[in-house]
Amino acid sequence: MSVLAEIIAGVREDLEQRRAVVGDADIVSAAADAPPARDAFRALGGATAPADRDSRLRVISEVKRKSPSKGALADIPEPAELARQYAAGGAAVISVLTERRRFGGSLEDFDAVRAAVDVPLLRKDFTVEPYQIHEARAHGADLVLLIVAALEDTELVQLLELTRSLGMEALVEAHTEEEVDRAVAAGARIIGVNVRNLKTLEVDRSTFSRLADRIPSHAVIVAESGVRGIDDVVSFAERGADAILVGEALVKDQDPTAAVAAFSEAGSAAKPPRRN
Ligand SMILES: O=C(O)c1ccccc1NCC(=O)[C@H](O)[C@H](O)COP(=O)(O)O
């Protein structure tokens, strides 16, 4: 079984436990009652009219305690405080991992961050069921993650439609040419190229430039994983990233506010004018 398949098996078990406490009808009504979602597409530089797009590189800053590839990364006793530091540095979106077994995250972390900051939040989990999307919205999420490798085409389309029907957007993540094409065909507007292969955990930064060219210009392109410092940020920006998603490098930095600001400034300076 691949790492991704193992993670998803655990996610499904945990999901059934939560569903036993809060049933389907209750989670649907909690999502409907939540305050409206923030516009994550715009926050990431997306715009319907090409003239409205700028050439800033946005930073999605992640709250990440541990990972299958690296083990323990940071204790993060107060995710809300880390999120405030990210927001002070200009994070466009904050990503909060809610997967418990392999990443040490939780919906409690998500709630704490939601209460602390007003920037759009990505509920970062392995979304395989509508329940998780209603749950994300009920907890105040603005963006959810849909990993193409984890979903059939029909599931991808249905989950994307549900996400949008609740006022949110999805970061649709791809790792191969075929997955990018599936994301585009499903109608994704925010497409992430994860340079980490979730089946082998290998990081290959050249994946980004290979895949980014296939993504249509109306979509926001996010470079995910593998940012170790400014050089990687500049490289992703030069190769067409509109945004970067960074976990490890930020949670390990002594000054996350300064790190987010520096990534944003260096990436924006390096980013070529937007293709129209
Ligand atoms: O990070 C992992 O080891 C990992 C393993 C299996 C599935 C997903 C995984 N990470 C999720 C992510 O997409 C990253 O947390 C995110 O892109 C940030 O990556 P990084 O900046 O390299 O911490």
Side-chain angles (χ1 to χ4, degrees):
M1 204 190 265
S2 74
V3 179
L4 181 60
E6 275 177 29
I7 294 172
I8 289 173
V11 162
R12 285 191 186 279
E13 278 182 30
D14 290 348
L15 167 58
E16 289 316 319
Q17 287 184 7
R18 295 197 303 280
R19 205 202 300 266
V21 179
V22 182
D24 287 314
D26 287 339
I27 206 70
V28 168
S29 91
D33 290 345
R38 294 154 190 78
D39 189 341
F41 180 67
R42 271 194 95 78
L44 290 172
T48 321
D52 292 341
R53 300 193 73 147
D54 59 37
S55 59
R56 272 171 52 211
L57 183 89
R58 269 74 178 181
V59 181
I60 305 177
S61 309
E62 187 154 279
V63 177
K64 182 178 187 183
R65 288 201 176 85
K66 62 178 186 171
S67 74
S69 59
K70 298 286 181 73
L73 298 171
D75 286 343
I76 318 183
E78 289 189 55
E81 181 48 30
L82 179 60
R84 277 189 209 101
Q85 292 176 337
Y86 286 162
V93 167
I94 295 175
S95 163
V96 184
L97 273 153
T98 56
E99 197 279 345
R100 178 179 64 85
R101 300 179 186 217
R102 309 296 289 272
F103 294 88
S106 65
L107 281 165
E108 287 72 30
D109 281 357
F110 192 93
D111 292 343
V113 171
R114 179 70 294 162
V117 296
D118 198 29
V119 294
L121 294 190
L122 165 64
R123 186 214 178 161
K124 189 90 180 302
D125 212 311
F126 297 80
T127 312
V128 286
E129 283 221 17
Y131 185 96
Q132 294 163 288
I133 294 178
H134 288 290
E135 187 177 49
R137 188 75 278 278
H139 286 262
D142 310 292
L143 191 60
V144 296
L145 178 69
L146 298 177
I147 301 175
V148 175
L151 300 166
E152 301 292 336
D153 285 341
T154 48
E155 294 173 317
L156 181 58
V157 169
Q158 281 165 7
L159 293 177
L160 188 54
E161 279 173 3
L162 173 62
T163 300
R164 290 187 179 144
S165 75
L166 296 176
M168 298 185 289
E169 254 302 339
L171 168 60
V172 180
E173 177 178 309
H175 180 70
T176 64
E177 282 86 348
E178 190 225 345
E179 288 172 12
V180 167
D181 294 348
R182 290 179 56 207
V184 173
R189 298 204 297 166
I190 306 175
I191 300 181
V193 173
N194 199 337
V195 304
R196 178 177 288 115
N197 180 331
L198 302 191
K199 294 176 178 160
T200 63
L201 302 187
E202 203 176 297
V203 170
D204 176 358
R205 292 170 188 79
S206 70
T207 307
F208 182 76
S209 28
R210 226 181 52 242
L211 270 53
D213 282 348
R214 300 176 82 85
I215 301 176
S217 60
H218 65 263
V220 166
I221 307 176
V222 183
E224 296 182 43
S225 307
V227 168
R228 295 158 299 189
I230 295 280
D231 288 353
D232 293 321
V233 175
V234 167
S235 166
F236 284 140
E238 286 174 343
R239 286 165 177 73
D242 298 308
I244 50 171
L245 196 166
V246 190
E248 178 178 352
L250 291 178
V251 298
K252 286 180 152 178
D253 201 289
Q254 293 302 305
D255 187 345
T257 300
V260 173
F263 287 176
S264 171
E265 192 182 335
S268 298
K271 200 164 145 27
R274 177 79 205 177
R275 300 170 291 150
N276 286 329

